[in-house]
Amino acid sequence: MNDNRMNRVIVALDVETGGRAMEIVRACEGAISFFKVGKQLFTAEGPDIVRRIKETGNRVFLDLKYHDIPNTVANATVEAVKLGADIIDVHTSGGFEMMKKTMDMVRDYCAGHGVPEPGIFGITILTSLDDNALNQIGYTGTAAQMVVRLAVLGREAGIAGVVCSPLEISLVKKACGNDFKTLTPGIRPLFSQSADDQKRVMTPADAFDAGTDYIVMGRPITKASNIEEALKKLDDEIG
Ligand code: C5P
């Protein structure tokens, strides 16, 4: 198994129930150790689902994409740290002050309680939006230009990295440096034909080759008729 790459694959648990989520976690045992809890599962099951996954010894990316006034986002993020989330995300378009206050409060909490600092990542531009969709909501630049601009702002505010399309990995690394991390959804392996609603997609191998730190993949794994087999194919493909 290609540990170095498989360790950095995050499986998105976009399912209705905690029971199904835990089934997927079990089916991934030995291959995947990082899972994403997003809005659907969190709304259905509440914070307990994060604790249940953490109890299995796996890492959790809590993907609630916080976007609000600085005080609200900073306090919500600290609650996510208390839950044990390893990666937490906020919208970079919430602005510099929002990200900066969040980082300050997370660092204070972690230092005061002797807990490791999680990775705070910034959402740039959703991978379901293309240039046309962006223009519709009043963004004047291209997706790539907006991503770079928001990533630079996030770096200045002290966040660990950004969530971006795999097509923007090298642009972000060039603008923000190699130590500024990228986490990329919009990944479709060769064995999965459907792009679903993702518009800016890349294969996992190409995303890692382009230098991404983490990839997030949901449906190609969670909707596979045989998850173990899909993971085996993924491992072969990214090796
Ligand atoms: O099933 P699929 O692989 O498309 O899932 C991608 C996951 O990544 C979803 O949970 C989606 O919410 C999330 N995501 C995304 N684009 C972003 C940020 C997160 O697709 N920019």
Side-chain angles (χ1 to χ4, degrees):
M1 199 173 81
N2 190 322
D3 286 337
N4 174 38
R5 287 187 167 185
M6 288 298 273
N7 277 337
R8 295 184 288 133
V9 175
I10 305 176
V11 168
L13 298 170
D14 295 326
V15 294
E16 279 176 43
T17 65
R20 178 64 190 142
M22 296 311 292
E23 258 173 40
I24 296 170
V25 169
R26 279 191 292 275
C28 290
E29 203 184 318
I32 298 290
S33 58
F34 219 141
F35 295 92
K36 182 168 92 67
V37 173
K39 291 188 170 83
Q40 181 186 12
L41 185 59
F42 192 84
T43 304
E45 293 288 338
D48 211 41
I49 189 64
V50 178
R51 297 189 193 100
R52 284 167 70 190
I53 299 168
K54 289 291 295 184
E55 276 164 15
T56 62
N58 289 295
R59 291 166 290 169
V60 173
F61 165 21
L62 185 58
D63 176 29
L64 297 178
K65 300 186 176 67
Y66 295 131
H67 192 176
D68 210 312
I69 58 173
N71 187 56
T72 303
V73 169
N75 281 310
T77 307
V78 169
E79 293 305 323
V81 176
K82 290 182 196 169
L83 268 181
D86 301 274
I87 291 183
I88 302 159
D89 57 359
V90 304
H91 270 279
T92 53
S93 56
F96 180 85
E97 284 309 322
M98 191 199 84
M99 291 187 277
K100 174 82 171 55
K101 186 169 174 83
T102 299
M103 289 313 301
D104 289 347
M105 281 185 53
V106 165
R107 285 192 177 130
D108 279 357
Y109 178 86
C110 292
H113 292 79
V115 293
E117 202 182 294
I120 307 297
F121 278 68
I123 299 291
T124 52
I125 300 291
L126 297 173
T127 45
S128 55
L129 299 176
D130 57 16
D131 292 346
N132 188 36
L134 284 178
N135 290 339
Q136 277 177 340
I137 57 169
Y139 282 54
T140 48
T142 62
Q145 286 166 337
M146 288 307 303
V147 168
V148 169
R149 183 180 176 145
L150 292 166
V152 169
L153 189 70
R155 185 181 176 104
E156 283 166 9
I159 62 174
V162 287
V163 180
C164 63
S165 140
L167 305 177
E168 287 125 20
I169 297 161
S170 55
L171 286 175
V172 169
K173 294 280 183 184
K174 201 166 153 220
C176 299
N178 252 335
D179 57 330
F180 191 69
K181 300 206 170 353
T182 56
L183 186 158
T184 50
I187 301 292
R188 284 298 174 267
L190 295 172
F191 68 79
S192 156
Q193 296 303 312
S194 168
D196 301 305
D197 52 352
Q198 298 285 11
K199 290 193 174 143
R200 295 177 286 137
V201 296
M202 196 183 265
T203 67
D206 285 348
F208 280 124
D209 287 347
T212 202
D213 297 280
Y214 299 96
I215 62 170
V216 171
M217 215 185 338
R219 288 162 287 184
I221 304 295
T222 59
K223 296 244 187 274
S225 50
N226 182 328
I227 291 180
E228 288 88 342
E229 219 168 78
L231 290 171
K232 172 90 187 47
K233 282 188 201 149
L234 175 68
D235 187 27
D236 289 345
E237 209 181 300
I238 61 178

